[in-house]
Amino acid sequence: MTLKDQLNDDLKAAMRSGDEPRKNAVRLLLAAVKQVEIDQRVTLDDTGISGVLQKEAKGRRESIADAHKASRADLVAGYETELRIIESYLPRQLTRDELVEMAKTAIAEAGATDAKQIGAVMKLLTPHTKGQADGKLVSEIVRELLTKQAGG
């Protein structure tokens, strides 16, 4: 079953069960997928749909941060619910510890010794973390490790 079929089936199930938050979140996801398909004039495969879902998840994380800054607990709760639903369709996210280990391996493989070589490390690491970790977090971890290595 494709990811798109799964989304459509889950939308029908949510409508039958009266699960409003899931129904609304899945509708938003399907609309985002449809918009990309129309804009690019393609039919997305599971990889393309996962990319759209990643983008939607990132948007929710940013919205949660903005709502926290604005002290809007009502919005935070709604966005967190949507984020949980979106993440249920994404591959398991790598933990910080797993990312640190992968980054250490990539740093050793690249022979990097300071933060100026972050690009070389990211080039090796990104293919292994794509879709399973936020690129910003991966970059942050690599930068921390290289800074410690150069300074310590």
Side-chain angles (χ1 to χ4, degrees):
M1 175 182 285
T2 67
L3 194 48
K4 194 178 214 176
D5 292 339
Q6 180 70 44
L7 286 167
N8 282 313
D9 289 351
D10 288 354
L11 175 60
K12 291 172 191 167
M15 290 170 75
R16 278 190 218 107
S17 68
D19 185 349
E20 285 295 313
R22 180 166 291 277
K23 178 183 82 171
N24 293 335
V26 174
R27 274 190 176 156
L28 286 170
L29 295 175
L30 285 168
V33 169
K34 188 70 171 168
Q35 188 63 52
V36 170
E37 288 180 335
I38 290 169
D39 290 348
Q40 297 179 1
R41 296 188 177 136
V42 295
T43 300
L44 294 175
D45 59 0
D46 280 357
T47 306
I49 292 172
S50 286
V52 172
L53 298 183
Q54 287 281 356
K55 189 175 178 183
E56 291 295 313
K58 182 178 180 185
R60 293 312 180 286
R61 287 186 201 100
E62 291 168 357
S63 296
I64 289 168
D66 291 344
H68 270 300
K69 287 178 191 168
S71 300
R72 294 288 310 267
D74 56 327
L75 294 178
V76 171
Y79 290 135
E80 285 176 343
T81 300
E82 286 181 8
L83 181 59
R84 273 193 303 280
I85 292 167
I86 294 168
E87 286 176 340
S88 72
Y89 295 102
L90 293 172
R92 183 186 74 80
Q93 297 295 293
L94 295 168
T95 65
R96 186 173 181 88
D97 292 339
E98 290 170 321
L99 289 172
V100 167
E101 289 307 310
M102 291 173 80
K104 285 178 181 176
T105 304
I107 289 169
E109 198 175 314
T113 54
D114 62 27
K116 291 177 185 167
Q117 296 167 312
I118 191 170
V121 176
M122 289 300 291
K123 192 174 186 180
L124 292 171
L125 193 55
T126 302
H128 301 291
T129 61
K130 189 147 182 74
Q132 295 180 300
D134 180 30
K136 188 175 177 183
L137 175 63
V138 174
S139 176
E140 197 176 285
I141 290 170
V142 170
R143 187 175 311 280
E144 281 175 22
L145 291 171
L146 287 172
T147 304
K148 278 183 194 172
Q149 189 173 320

